[in-house]
Amino acid sequence: MTAVAKAPAWERFTPRERFARFTVYLLTVAAVVTSLRTVEVIPEFLYDAPEQMMDLFRRMWPMDVGHYPQAIHAALVETIHIATLGTILSVLLALPIGVMAAGNVTPYPALNFIAKLLLVSSRSVNSLVWALVFVAVFGPGPLAGVFAIAFRSIGFVGKLFGEVLEEAHRGAIEALTAAGAPWVSVLRMGYWPQVKPAFWSIVMFRWDINVRESAVLGLVGAGGIGVVLDTALNLFHWDRVAMTLASIFGVVIFAEIVVTAIRRRVL
Amino acid sequence: MLSPSKHGREARRAFEANWLARLGWLALAAYVFYAGSLLDLNWERLLLGLDNAGRLFGRMFPPDYSRWELLLKGMMESLEIAVLASFFGIAVSLPVGLLASRNMMPAWLTWPARMLIALCRSFHPVIVSILFVKAVGFGALAGILALVVASIGFIAKLFAEAIEEISLKQVEAVRSTGASMPNVLIFGVLPQVLARFIGFAAYQLDSNLRNSTMVGIVGAGGIGGTLFAAFQRFDYDFVLAILIAIIVTIMIGEILSARLRAVFQ
Amino acid sequence: MRSIAVDEGRGVNARALVVSDLVVAYKPGQPVLKGVTITFNGRGMTAVIGPSGTGKSTLIRTINRLVEPTSGQVLFLGRDMARVKGRTLREMRSRIGMVFQEFNLVERLSVMENLLCGRLGFVPAWRTWLRRFPESDIARAFDLLDAVGLREFATQRADALSGGQRQRVGIARALMQEPALLLADEPTSSLDPKTSVEIMELMTSLARRNDVPVIVNMHDVELAKRFAERIIGLSGGTVVFDGPPGALKDEHLKQIYGGEGWL
């Protein structure tokens, strides 16, 4: 093979790409280094951690199984109700906002923007923080929990639902619009059949997440199993804490199995 | 999910079995009433709450930024927790995700890796935070460790799934050149998954940022502690100031992570 | 180019490949190859023809151990490819180039990076990570890109290329290895007839210029007769024909493919 006069250099990226990547790397390193240097961490605590952990597990074992019928069971049922009612409420609230956020259904940029702002706000505030707000509103108890779950889920359900709507095929909708169908009918007959499977899938997915989330709401007084956990923690009843954690684990697995089963059968 | 044949089937079924759907809605309504009464939800409490909410909002406005130094300090600590937890979480998730991918690794390696991921996933970050607060004391360290665990549970799983979806033909071609395992990973696997990995990592940074504003409620550092204290002291105008700061920070975070994804497209 | 001792006297050179009693069974008791014995003399192009599912692909893939043999030997460069492991296996693979039916380019990498894949057996991972390949490798890659006529595509991503262009990259990638043997597994099956001929011409001329023996697998008998110097017919997991293209008659094809209506 005859060699080319001078082997040309080969570069993987254009200068612009290289600059962008370099900026990302630099920012990452800068962020990590700055954080490491400024964060208030006492290294001794970290060295001590394994020992403390072992101590914790020794206190947890054996678990206080008797605590389950006494307090845990009722609280677990309450947790599932909070998650379910919260999900239902969030769907009721999220549907109109999702419709409003979908640019193809609601062709008003101002409304789209307001809807998206609502959705981002809902998602940005953690469910525990929402729980604090609603405990202040309704007082401690499961009512606050239901609302906390609902308000945190609006952003999730609304965003995903809006995206599904935006991906809907135009054909059926154009046909209905051309036939002079009113707005509500277009939604009901044109969009709904298309987005229905995705909608149920989103709802199930969120319910699964909500079961996990509602398990901790009790830490701030919003009902459910978290209340039992909080009491046990405050009284240093580690064997009860362990039993509660095991029960939460069981419920989370239960929720996942339910969702998988429903998905397989219905969707 | 949106294949046309499926719509056809759905539509037909919807007409034939409409009574079933109606029964379903009825059952749902019945459940709502049943569960609502069980949880002692009723109109009086709701109306009382609305009344309270009005007063609460009244006390929230205008947001009080006079203690901005405290706010800034808490936000900075939350950011630090999010950055460090994401960094170490992703650093650990990469090898764990690779070990858990069933198309690249033998079963005796994927099983323990999958167990680890499942363990990290099963508890809410707040619960993990509580355990770490007990283990390493109050402060940011507990929050970082808790969110590292949460990150592993989430993105190691996504990493593993992404690796399992790659085209093995490309890997085979690279392997046939006599490339070593690291070289196969760099040239055969990584190019196929990098864009998705970056997406997951950016998403995790977002998610950790959200969670880092919360772990403070159980004493694991960050703005959450400040927020919780403000609630307990009924300083609702300060609460609103903190909430606005959190929302703005997270929106900026979402914009940045979208940019990040674009760079590595 | 590496110099390879040639022992013309015995008609078999140092790059000869000796397959003996090769049995490959994906499922126990159902062998795809039932004791194949072939001596490739390390020169020119040998085509392996036969109906689908007869083990052509399996034979080729056993040579560089993408498929595990059940029993038998594959002797190449003084080693038994059926036995080597780990580092030795990788070193052996790095001396054997391979062209795939569906090109198997790493789609999200540039054409240049795909060519450099051919050097992965020779360059340590820390250098490939930083894309710090030796200058000689880059120069060779550009030479090969010139040879396959894709110079201006060097920085394009592989998934932007057409089928014929991809296979050109595939051939260039295999030759980047400076192989002592080039394997091609149905290299034209995913291409249209005109491109197929072009690809075969390119592969033949490049192999000749680089002095690399080629073993190619194909189902297109005419293409095989046109380009190969020796044809091996496989049927039902055994060799049923072995000879020059001129000696391949209809009765052989009948034996290989069965029936005659298609002739």
Side-chain angles (χ1 to χ4, degrees), chain B residues 187-215:
Chain B
F187 267 72
V189 179
L190 195 62
Q192 296 193 55
V193 294
L194 184 70
R196 295 186 67 191
F197 275 17
I198 298 287
F200 298 147
Y203 179 84
Q204 192 57 36
L205 184 62
D206 265 3
S207 166
N208 281 342
L209 193 57
R210 281 161 222 264
N211 284 335
S212 70
T213 60
M214 164 195 70
V215 292

Short mmCIF file of all heavy atoms in Angstrom, two decimals, chain B residues 187-215:
data_model
loop_
_atom_site.label_atom_id
_atom_site.label_comp_id
_atom_site.label_asym_id
_atom_site.label_seq_id
_atom_site.Cartn_x
_atom_site.Cartn_y
_atom_site.Cartn_z
N PHE B 187 -15.22 0.05 23.21
CA PHE B 187 -15.59 0.23 21.81
C PHE B 187 -16.88 -0.50 21.42
O PHE B 187 -17.56 -0.09 20.50
CB PHE B 187 -14.45 -0.24 20.90
CG PHE B 187 -13.52 0.88 20.53
CD1 PHE B 187 -12.66 1.42 21.47
CD2 PHE B 187 -13.53 1.40 19.25
CE1 PHE B 187 -11.83 2.47 21.13
CE2 PHE B 187 -12.69 2.44 18.91
CZ PHE B 187 -11.84 2.98 19.85
N GLY B 188 -17.21 -1.59 22.09
CA GLY B 188 -18.38 -2.35 21.68
C GLY B 188 -19.62 -2.00 22.49
O GLY B 188 -20.72 -1.98 21.95
N VAL B 189 -19.46 -1.76 23.78
CA VAL B 189 -20.62 -1.56 24.65
C VAL B 189 -20.91 -0.08 24.90
O VAL B 189 -22.01 0.40 24.66
CB VAL B 189 -20.43 -2.30 26.00
CG1 VAL B 189 -21.62 -2.07 26.90
CG2 VAL B 189 -20.20 -3.78 25.77
N LEU B 190 -19.88 0.64 25.34
CA LEU B 190 -20.08 2.02 25.75
C LEU B 190 -20.73 2.90 24.68
O LEU B 190 -21.68 3.63 24.98
CB LEU B 190 -18.75 2.63 26.22
CG LEU B 190 -18.89 3.92 27.00
CD1 LEU B 190 -19.68 3.67 28.27
CD2 LEU B 190 -17.53 4.49 27.35
N PRO B 191 -20.25 2.85 23.40
CA PRO B 191 -20.88 3.72 22.41
C PRO B 191 -22.37 3.47 22.28
O PRO B 191 -23.14 4.38 22.01
CB PRO B 191 -20.16 3.36 21.10
CG PRO B 191 -18.90 2.73 21.52
CD PRO B 191 -19.16 2.05 22.82
N GLN B 192 -22.80 2.24 22.51
CA GLN B 192 -24.21 1.92 22.35
C GLN B 192 -25.05 2.42 23.51
O GLN B 192 -26.25 2.60 23.36
CB GLN B 192 -24.40 0.40 22.23
CG GLN B 192 -23.74 -0.19 21.01
CD GLN B 192 -24.22 -1.62 20.78
OE1 GLN B 192 -25.40 -1.88 20.68
NE2 GLN B 192 -23.28 -2.55 20.69
N VAL B 193 -24.44 2.60 24.66
CA VAL B 193 -25.25 2.96 25.84
C VAL B 193 -24.96 4.35 26.37
O VAL B 193 -25.69 4.84 27.22
CB VAL B 193 -25.05 1.94 26.99
CG1 VAL B 193 -25.59 0.58 26.59
CG2 VAL B 193 -23.59 1.83 27.38
N LEU B 194 -23.91 5.01 25.87
CA LEU B 194 -23.46 6.26 26.50
C LEU B 194 -24.58 7.30 26.57
O LEU B 194 -24.83 7.86 27.64
CB LEU B 194 -22.25 6.84 25.75
CG LEU B 194 -21.69 8.07 26.42
CD1 LEU B 194 -21.03 7.70 27.73
CD2 LEU B 194 -20.69 8.80 25.54
N ALA B 195 -25.26 7.52 25.44
CA ALA B 195 -26.28 8.58 25.43
C ALA B 195 -27.35 8.29 26.49
O ALA B 195 -27.79 9.20 27.20
CB ALA B 195 -26.91 8.69 24.05
N ARG B 196 -27.75 7.03 26.58
CA ARG B 196 -28.78 6.70 27.57
C ARG B 196 -28.24 6.83 28.99
O ARG B 196 -28.95 7.28 29.88
CB ARG B 196 -29.30 5.28 27.33
CG ARG B 196 -30.01 5.15 26.00
CD ARG B 196 -30.65 3.81 25.83
NE ARG B 196 -31.74 3.61 26.77
CZ ARG B 196 -32.32 2.43 26.96
NH1 ARG B 196 -31.89 1.36 26.32
NH2 ARG B 196 -33.30 2.31 27.81
N PHE B 197 -26.98 6.43 29.19
CA PHE B 197 -26.37 6.57 30.51
C PHE B 197 -26.38 8.03 30.96
O PHE B 197 -26.71 8.34 32.10
CB PHE B 197 -24.93 6.07 30.50
CG PHE B 197 -24.80 4.59 30.70
CD1 PHE B 197 -25.90 3.75 30.53
CD2 PHE B 197 -23.59 4.03 31.08
CE1 PHE B 197 -25.79 2.39 30.71
CE2 PHE B 197 -23.47 2.66 31.26
CZ PHE B 197 -24.57 1.84 31.07
N ILE B 198 -25.99 8.91 30.03
CA ILE B 198 -25.96 10.33 30.37
C ILE B 198 -27.37 10.78 30.76
O ILE B 198 -27.55 11.51 31.73
CB ILE B 198 -25.45 11.16 29.18
CG1 ILE B 198 -24.02 10.76 28.82
CG2 ILE B 198 -25.53 12.65 29.49
CD1 ILE B 198 -22.97 11.21 29.77
N GLY B 199 -28.36 10.30 30.00
CA GLY B 199 -29.74 10.66 30.32
C GLY B 199 -30.13 10.21 31.72
O GLY B 199 -30.68 10.99 32.50
N PHE B 200 -29.80 8.97 32.05
CA PHE B 200 -30.12 8.45 33.38
C PHE B 200 -29.40 9.24 34.46
O PHE B 200 -29.96 9.55 35.51
CB PHE B 200 -29.73 6.98 33.51
CG PHE B 200 -30.44 6.07 32.56
CD1 PHE B 200 -29.82 4.95 32.05
CD2 PHE B 200 -31.75 6.34 32.18
CE1 PHE B 200 -30.49 4.11 31.18
CE2 PHE B 200 -32.42 5.50 31.30
CZ PHE B 200 -31.78 4.39 30.80
N ALA B 201 -28.12 9.52 34.19
CA ALA B 201 -27.32 10.24 35.19
C ALA B 201 -27.91 11.62 35.44
O ALA B 201 -28.04 12.06 36.59
CB ALA B 201 -25.87 10.34 34.74
N ALA B 202 -28.31 12.29 34.35
CA ALA B 202 -28.89 13.63 34.50
C ALA B 202 -30.20 13.52 35.28
O ALA B 202 -30.48 14.34 36.16
CB ALA B 202 -29.15 14.23 33.12
N TYR B 203 -30.99 12.50 34.96
CA TYR B 203 -32.25 12.30 35.67
C TYR B 203 -31.98 12.06 37.15
O TYR B 203 -32.67 12.59 38.02
CB TYR B 203 -33.00 11.11 35.09
CG TYR B 203 -34.30 10.86 35.79
CD1 TYR B 203 -35.44 11.57 35.44
CD2 TYR B 203 -34.37 9.95 36.84
CE1 TYR B 203 -36.62 11.37 36.11
CE2 TYR B 203 -35.55 9.74 37.51
CZ TYR B 203 -36.67 10.45 37.14
OH TYR B 203 -37.84 10.26 37.82
N GLN B 204 -30.94 11.28 37.45
CA GLN B 204 -30.64 10.98 38.84
C GLN B 204 -30.19 12.22 39.59
O GLN B 204 -30.51 12.40 40.76
CB GLN B 204 -29.55 9.89 38.91
CG GLN B 204 -29.37 9.30 40.30
CD GLN B 204 -30.67 8.71 40.84
OE1 GLN B 204 -31.45 8.15 40.09
NE2 GLN B 204 -30.90 8.87 42.12
N LEU B 205 -29.45 13.09 38.89
CA LEU B 205 -29.03 14.34 39.52
C LEU B 205 -30.28 15.15 39.91
O LEU B 205 -30.38 15.65 41.03
CB LEU B 205 -28.14 15.14 38.55
CG LEU B 205 -27.55 16.42 39.10
CD1 LEU B 205 -26.65 16.14 40.28
CD2 LEU B 205 -26.78 17.16 38.02
N ASP B 206 -31.23 15.22 38.98
CA ASP B 206 -32.52 15.88 39.26
C ASP B 206 -33.18 15.28 40.49
O ASP B 206 -33.60 15.97 41.41
CB ASP B 206 -33.48 15.62 38.09
CG ASP B 206 -33.47 16.75 37.11
OD1 ASP B 206 -32.67 17.68 37.31
OD2 ASP B 206 -34.24 16.69 36.15
N SER B 207 -33.28 13.95 40.45
CA SER B 207 -33.99 13.23 41.49
C SER B 207 -33.29 13.41 42.84
O SER B 207 -33.94 13.61 43.86
CB SER B 207 -34.06 11.77 41.06
OG SER B 207 -34.44 10.97 42.11
N ASN B 208 -31.96 13.35 42.84
CA ASN B 208 -31.22 13.54 44.08
C ASN B 208 -31.39 14.96 44.61
O ASN B 208 -31.42 15.18 45.82
CB ASN B 208 -29.74 13.24 43.88
CG ASN B 208 -29.46 11.75 43.88
OD1 ASN B 208 -30.28 10.96 44.33
ND2 ASN B 208 -28.32 11.37 43.36
N LEU B 209 -31.49 15.91 43.69
CA LEU B 209 -31.70 17.29 44.10
C LEU B 209 -33.03 17.42 44.84
O LEU B 209 -33.12 18.04 45.91
CB LEU B 209 -31.66 18.19 42.87
CG LEU B 209 -31.55 19.68 43.10
CD1 LEU B 209 -30.32 19.99 43.91
CD2 LEU B 209 -31.50 20.41 41.77
N ARG B 210 -34.06 16.81 44.27
CA ARG B 210 -35.38 16.83 44.94
C ARG B 210 -35.29 16.19 46.32
O ARG B 210 -35.79 16.74 47.30
CB ARG B 210 -36.39 16.02 44.15
CG ARG B 210 -36.96 16.70 42.97
CD ARG B 210 -37.55 15.66 42.05
NE ARG B 210 -37.21 16.01 40.69
CZ ARG B 210 -38.02 16.69 39.90
NH1 ARG B 210 -39.20 17.03 40.32
NH2 ARG B 210 -37.65 17.03 38.70
N ASN B 211 -34.67 15.01 46.35
CA ASN B 211 -34.63 14.29 47.62
C ASN B 211 -33.73 14.98 48.64
O ASN B 211 -33.95 14.86 49.83
CB ASN B 211 -34.16 12.85 47.38
CG ASN B 211 -35.26 12.00 46.79
OD1 ASN B 211 -36.43 12.30 46.97
ND2 ASN B 211 -34.88 10.96 46.08
N SER B 212 -32.71 15.68 48.16
CA SER B 212 -31.80 16.31 49.11
C SER B 212 -32.48 17.45 49.86
O SER B 212 -32.03 17.88 50.91
CB SER B 212 -30.56 16.84 48.39
OG SER B 212 -30.89 17.94 47.60
N THR B 213 -33.61 17.95 49.30
CA THR B 213 -34.32 19.01 50.01
C THR B 213 -35.22 18.41 51.08
O THR B 213 -35.87 19.12 51.81
CB THR B 213 -35.20 19.83 49.04
OG1 THR B 213 -36.14 18.94 48.43
CG2 THR B 213 -34.35 20.48 47.98
N MET B 214 -35.25 17.07 51.14
CA MET B 214 -36.19 16.42 52.04
C MET B 214 -35.51 15.68 53.19
O MET B 214 -36.03 15.62 54.29
CB MET B 214 -37.01 15.44 51.21
CG MET B 214 -37.75 14.41 51.98
SD MET B 214 -38.30 13.13 50.87
CE MET B 214 -36.75 12.36 50.48
N VAL B 215 -34.30 15.12 52.91
CA VAL B 215 -33.69 14.28 53.93
C VAL B 215 -33.41 15.05 55.21
O VAL B 215 -33.28 14.46 56.28
CB VAL B 215 -32.39 13.61 53.41
CG1 VAL B 215 -32.70 12.59 52.35
CG2 VAL B 215 -31.40 14.65 52.91
#
